[in-house]
């Protein structure tokens, strides 16, 4: 174990090897730390010593420090020595210096300047190995400072005629990295056209790197790289028709250039199918050839051969699915995947299930996918790997439609009995959604949900049982059946509390429908429910009490029995204040209210307004938007969607729950607490008004409503904080909200029509925050325009700690409103409730555009219609500083076009707003008048709402 | 990308996105636990956080890559294999000890092969040529401005 390695290539650093060997010999963590501290002291004294160190020693010590750091220890010195190594003329010294900098970069500004200087020298050295080291360092560090220093230099190196191939490769990937980290700093320009032509390069390594770069760039601005389509197809065609020896070293286990093929296929997925017919048929030929090759006998038994071959095949299938236009190819792809479903390689079965999931959403291949249902069901039963079974569940969900829903639901239910705990909740949600969506008769739906509760009650979330109640209330044809079924289900000696909830609610509303049968007479129903009472938690008990008072209304004959129960000490003196209050109020109500009044108060619940199932929203939250095959998006032949449910932004707020269950013709309580209700505006609802007139205890009506939402909703809606909103128009990061307890910081990034916000919640106190939740809600009008998906956060934030939440955002169309972040938590026993307007504004979806003066004015004229232009003249609120103004305009998201406006004092900019539905080009001009301390801002876009909103946002900034 | 020892010791790690040191440690720990718990015949891919993990075991070492939703799993598996081949070729039948004692070399090979998370050159010859050239250059002193090669 502790021998030194036999091979030590290059210049073995003996001292380093001894040190590593020592560390490995350490018997305990303590011994290791001791040895390390000794070494650190030694290195420190060497670095501080009077004697200047030679390059070799410096390299050796820096390398030791690096080793110590990689072991997981902190290093707080040696950076300077590493930087010194960068300017060494010895290759290995330089190399170790760069490695140290790449691994342990420090944003110390003095050092960064020195590092950048060394890099600059190496880039200018014309020595390819040095240039490569420098490029690697830039890519490895990838910091903003580096991007600022080199983003304009690297494109030059990349397209220069005399750059060596290996340097071109590094330059391409370095640029790719910078474009990922700081896209705003990588200038588009004349070089982009020349980069596309690298696809024609002789050197396949260069082509590979260039393809990666072009793909990244094309994802952001497809229009600028359209010419890459034909070049990529030509290149792909040459590869797939080549024999395996043609490409020599780029052939991998008898597969011609698999990496490059995959990359080219990825690049083509940035675009729709080519319009040019010749090009299109050439591509189709390529794809067919790839599909054909899958049927050929393997040229090698090695797994590398089949992996590489199938990697290309799967990427080709992705492209076919992306284009979604060639029925023959789609069906062939589906058949190919069908073969893989039964392959002995687990990896292939996994990928086939995954890929088929997307095929299921294409109208052309949906039917073909459905033919594999038995294989998929079998996979669910026999696969030994849970991640494969998970894919099978996803696929069954995606291929489900009215014709196979019953079969799929039955299979999922039976799988649920043995499913891994980790995926149970998701299966429950999926079953609930499918059962509702494809229910032909709702008795089946009711049965399915009750089965869900029976099999996996613990995983049935509130959304699921709320939903079944909503549906039963809305469909009178199923109410009798539901009452009968829950009554029967409740007979089981041990039933889940969720069933008691559903049972209590449904019998309270519709118990009368089965009361005619002596086996389910009112008294039998009541006794059955009450037999579960003592086993239940407080919220369920509260719900049962409400069911009891409804019983008094429905069945006068059990009034005395129920009153006795309410009157018992265990109720009237219940330690829980909510239960006690209900018992007291219900008892009193049952004594003083006439039957008419009772009947009015406990009128049957009116139907709920039709709305999207909150279950679907929950599943979307759980899976993340990308992972959930959207069964609603399946297109039919006319291009319409089969189901028209609109996506709803993920919404975990208790208000959504409220909204799901509360009928709209009752006032939506600002607070659900019984006391508050009497002060709320109640005039519109006769039942409760009647109650108030009676001067009876002030709450009863409300309690009925309270049952179906959790305690946390007992809150007044907080005022939405907007004070920092406009500060985020031109910047993406900062603190959006702060009070004595909590600080909320944001870091945001946007790309085309997508965005991501990292929300940081900092607990400023030394005490835990409990039951912490945060969710995002949008006003109704915004819901279809902007989709915000919030990941869940830990419910506890320790004192002094910070937690992060990720919000994923998609801009569907242009919008004006802003979503609201709702935060709730308990601090020292009190519930805190904060709402903050999230700074997601239209301008965040800008992509800057470069254009010449001539282009600018030509477009400016084209956008001359009165409604396209919005102008505002306003007084400067801040000092009129040119540099600050420039920074703000850039931060707004547009390019700042220099030397376009004849008046050099003016600022003009251009950009494109990206939304899923459209792209709106936008030109702006800002004219300062320093004497008057005024600005005139003019915006022209093709859409009036966009011009209007952008003007509102930007005019607040100066 | 990283490679870890069977008992959960990290031997090599490389991050292609900016990540805080503390988060890195947490992620590595979590990832190692997940991957080490998997049994031999299971599939080489798994969903983890927002990413997909592709991993493969070579003797006592696990090599893992985290890739994004739309990335190709199988080709990533071969990225790992090609990297192992490169190590093997360079060290001559590589073992874990080689990577421990020559960790800097392992990093250089990785850098030469992958850059910014993308494959730089898929040709084994090209990559090794670059590394070996560098080895030859070790003690050669360069004066700036020299262009001969």
């Amino acid at each position: 174990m502790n021998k030194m390695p036999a091979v030590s290539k290059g210049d073995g650093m003996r001292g380093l090897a001894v040190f590593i060997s020592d560390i490995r010999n350490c018997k305990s963590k303590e011994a290791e730390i001791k040895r390390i501290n000794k070494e650190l002291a030694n290195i420190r004294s060497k670095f501080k010593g009077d004697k200047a160190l030679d390059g070799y020693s410096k390299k050796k010590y820096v390398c030791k420090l690096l080793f110590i750091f990689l072991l997981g220890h902190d290093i707080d010195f040696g950076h300077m020595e590493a930087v010194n190594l960068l300017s060494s003329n010895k290759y290995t010294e330089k190399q170790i210096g760069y490695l140290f900098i790449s691994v342990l970069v420090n944003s110390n500004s003095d050092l960064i300047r020195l590092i950048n200087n060394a890099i600059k020298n190496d880039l200018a050295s014309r020595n390819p190995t040095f240039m490569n080291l420098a490029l690697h360092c830039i890519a490895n560090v990838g910091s903003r400072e580096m991007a600022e220093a080199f983003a304009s230099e690297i494109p030059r190196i990349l397209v220069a005629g005399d750059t060596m191939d290996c340097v071109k490769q590094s330059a391409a990937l370095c640029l790719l990295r910078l474009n990922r980290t700081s896209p705003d700093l990588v200038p588009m320009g004349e070089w982009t056209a020349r980069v596309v032509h690298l696809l024609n390069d002789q050197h396949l390594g260069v082509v590979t790197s260039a393809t990666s770069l072009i793909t990244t760039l094309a994802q952001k601005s497809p229009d600028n790289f359209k010419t890459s389509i034909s070049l990529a197809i030509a290149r792909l065609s040459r590869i797939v028709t080549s024999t395996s020896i043609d490409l020599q070293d780029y052939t991998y286990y008898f597969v011609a250039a698999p990496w490059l093929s995959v990359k080219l296929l990825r690049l083509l997925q940035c675009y729709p199918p080519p319009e040019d017919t010749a090009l299109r048929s050439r591509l189709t030929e390529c794809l067919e050839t790839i599909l054909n090759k899958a049927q050929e006998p393997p040229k090698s038994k090695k797994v590398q051969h089949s992996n590489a071959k199938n990697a290309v095949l799967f990427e080709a299938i992705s492209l076919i699915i992306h284009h979604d236009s060639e029925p023959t190819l789609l069906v062939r792809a589906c058949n190919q995947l069908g073969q893989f479903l039964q392959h002995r390689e687990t990896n292939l079965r996994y990928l086939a299930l995954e890929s088929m999931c997307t095929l299921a959403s294409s109208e052309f291949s949906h039917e073909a996918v459905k033919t594999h249902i038995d294989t998929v069901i079998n996979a669910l039963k026999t696969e030994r790997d849970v991640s494969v079974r998970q894919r099978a569940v996803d696929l069954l969900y995606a291929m489900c439609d009215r014709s196979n829903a019953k079969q799929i639901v039955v299979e999922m239910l039976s799988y649920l009995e043995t499913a891994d705990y980790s995926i149970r909740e998701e299966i429950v949600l999926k079953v609930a959604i499918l059962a509702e969506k494809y229910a032909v008769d709702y008795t089946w739906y009711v049965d399915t949900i009750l089965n869900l509760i029976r099999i996996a009650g613990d995983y049935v979330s509130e959304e699921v049982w709320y939903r079944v109640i909503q549906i039963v209330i809305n469909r009178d044809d199923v109410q009798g059946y539901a009452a009968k079924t829950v009554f029967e289900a409740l007979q089981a000696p041990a039933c889940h509390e969720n069933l008691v909830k559903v049972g209590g609610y449904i019998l309270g509303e519709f118990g009368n429908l089965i009361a005619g049968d002596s086996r389910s007479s009112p008294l039998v129903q009541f006794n059955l429910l009450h037999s579960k009472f003592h086993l239940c938690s407080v919220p369920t008990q509260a719900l049962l009490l409400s069911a009891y008072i409804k019983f008094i209304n429905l069945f006068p004959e059990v009034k005395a029995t129920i009153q006795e129960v309410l009157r018992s000490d265990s109720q009237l003196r219940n330690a829980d204040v909510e239960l006690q209050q209900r018992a007291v109020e219900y008892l009193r109500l049952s004594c003083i209210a006439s039957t008419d009044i009772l009947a009015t108060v406990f009128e049957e619940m009116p139907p709920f307004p039709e709305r999207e199932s909150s279950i679907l929203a929950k599943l979307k939250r759980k899976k993340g938007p990308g992972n959930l095959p959207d069964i609603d998006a399946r297109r039919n032949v006319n291009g319409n969607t089969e189901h028209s449910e609109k996506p709803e932004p993920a919404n975990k707020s208790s208000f959504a729950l409220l909204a799901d269950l509360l009928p709209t013709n009752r006032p939506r309580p600002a607070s659900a607490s019984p006391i508050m209700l009497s002060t709320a505006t109640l005039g519109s609802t006769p039942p409760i008004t009647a109650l108030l007139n009676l001067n009876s205890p002030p709450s009863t009506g409300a309690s009925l409503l309270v049952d179906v939402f959790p305690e946390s909703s007992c809150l007044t809606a907080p005022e939405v904080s907007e004070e920092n909103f406009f500060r985020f128009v031109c910047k993406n990061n900062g603190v959006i909200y702060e009070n004595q307890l909590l600080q909320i910081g944001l870091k945001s990034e946007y790309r085309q029509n997508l965005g991501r916000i990292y929300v940081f919640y900092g607990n400023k106190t030394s005490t835990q925050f409990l039951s912490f939740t945060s969710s995002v809600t949008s006003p109704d009008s915004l819901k279809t325009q902007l989709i915000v998906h919030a990941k869940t956060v830990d419910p506890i934030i320790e004192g002094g700690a910070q937690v992060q939440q990720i919000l994923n955002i998609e801009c569907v169309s242009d919008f004006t409103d802003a979503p609201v972040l709702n935060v709730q938590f308990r601090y020292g026993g009190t519930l805190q409730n904060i709402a903050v307007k999230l700074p997601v504004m239209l301008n965040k979806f800008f992509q800057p555009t470069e254009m010449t003066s001539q282009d600018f004015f030509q477009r400016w004229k084209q956008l001359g219609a009165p409604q396209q232009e919005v102008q505002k003249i306003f007084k400067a609120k801040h000092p009129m500083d040119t540099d600050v103004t420039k920074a703000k305009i850039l931060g707004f998201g547009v390019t700042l076009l220099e030397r376009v406006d004849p008046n050099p004092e003016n600022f003009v900019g251009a950009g494109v707003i990206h939304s899923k539905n459209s792209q709106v080009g936008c030109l702006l001009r800002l004219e300062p008048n320093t004497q008057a301390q005024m600005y005139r801002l003019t915006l022209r876009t093709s859409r009036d709402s966009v011009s209007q909103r952008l003007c509102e946002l930007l005019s607040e900034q100066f | 990308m990283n490679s870890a020892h069977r008992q959960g010791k990290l031997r090599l790690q490389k991050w292609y996105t900016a990540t805080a040191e503390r988060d890195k440690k947490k992620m590595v720990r979590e990832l190692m636990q997940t991957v080490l718990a998997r049994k031999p015949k299971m599939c080489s891919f798994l969903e983890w956080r927002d990413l997909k993990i592709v991993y493969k075991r070579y003797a006592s070492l696990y090599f893992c890559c985290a890739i994004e939703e739309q990335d190709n799993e199988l080709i990533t598996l071969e990225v790992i294999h090609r990297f192992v081949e490169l190590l093997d070729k360079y060290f001559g039948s590589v073992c874990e000890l080689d990577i421990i004692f020559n960790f800097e070399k392992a990093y250089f090979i990785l850098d030469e092969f992958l850059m910014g998370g993308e494959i730089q050159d898929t040709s084994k010859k090209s990559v090794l040529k670059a590394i070996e050239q560098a080895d030859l250059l070790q003690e050669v002193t360069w004066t700036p401005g020299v262009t001969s090669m």
Side-chain angles (χ1 to χ4, degrees), chain B residues 10-141:
Chain B
L10 190 63
R11 296 300 183 205
L12 204 59
Q13 56 173 323
K14 187 90 191 173
W15 298 78
Y16 296 109
T17 50
T19 316
E21 216 45 60
R22 206 173 40 159
D23 296 340
K24 283 186 188 172
K25 283 187 182 155
K26 195 173 157 210
M27 285 168 86
V28 166
R29 206 169 342 123
E30 199 183 311
L31 183 58
M32 278 202 290
Q33 276 170 0
T34 318
V35 170
L36 293 178
R38 294 186 56 91
K39 299 192 187 76
K41 284 272 170 184
M42 286 184 163
C43 87
S44 316
F45 321 124
L46 51 119
E47 287 183 333
W48 184 72
R49 300 192 178 188
D50 285 347
L51 300 166
K52 295 190 289 197
I53 301 299
V54 176
Y55 72 94
K56 190 163 178 180
R57 182 175 164 180
Y58 289 87
S60 59
L61 283 174
Y62 282 87
F63 291 78
C64 304
C65 291
I67 56 175
E68 286 176 8
E69 168 73 25
Q70 67 282 12
D71 290 331
N72 190 312
E73 291 98 336
L74 284 174
I75 207 75
T76 310
L77 211 46
E78 295 318 298
V79 166
I80 293 177
H81 186 74
R82 177 55 33 123
F83 177 56
V84 174
E85 279 184 355
L86 288 168
L87 291 173
D88 211 49
K89 191 95 181 179
Y90 180 81
F91 289 108
S93 170
V94 67
C95 68
E96 196 182 341
L97 279 180
D98 291 320
I99 299 181
I100 297 171
F101 280 92
N102 298 289
F103 70 97
E104 81 283 12
K105 295 277 188 273
Y107 277 99
F108 296 149
I109 294 174
L110 185 56
D111 263 355
E112 212 50 60
F113 177 52
L114 292 178
M115 185 170 172
E118 299 284 337
I119 198 154
Q120 179 164 212
D121 203 321
T122 65
S123 151
K124 199 153 61 173
K125 263 191 216 142
S126 301
V127 177
L128 286 174
K129 208 170 78 190
I131 300 282
E132 268 153 20
Q133 234 165 23
D135 271 345
L136 288 176
L137 284 175
Q138 303 205 79
E139 296 311 324
V140 180
T141 307

Side-chain angles (χ1 to χ4, degrees), chain A residues 852-864:
Chain A
T852 61
S853 171
Q854 194 190 353
D855 285 348
F856 183 88
F857 283 107
Q858 192 184 348
R859 291 195 202 178
W860 183 263
K861 283 191 198 106
Q862 282 163 359
L863 294 170

Side-chain angles (χ1 to χ4, degrees), chain A residues 378-395:
Chain A
N378 196 41
L380 199 58
K381 290 177 174 158
T382 56
E383 283 292 349
R384 272 184 287 174
D385 183 345
V386 55
S387 30
V388 185
R389 291 196 296 269
Q390 172 96 51
R391 291 285 83 82
V393 172
D394 287 349
L395 178 54

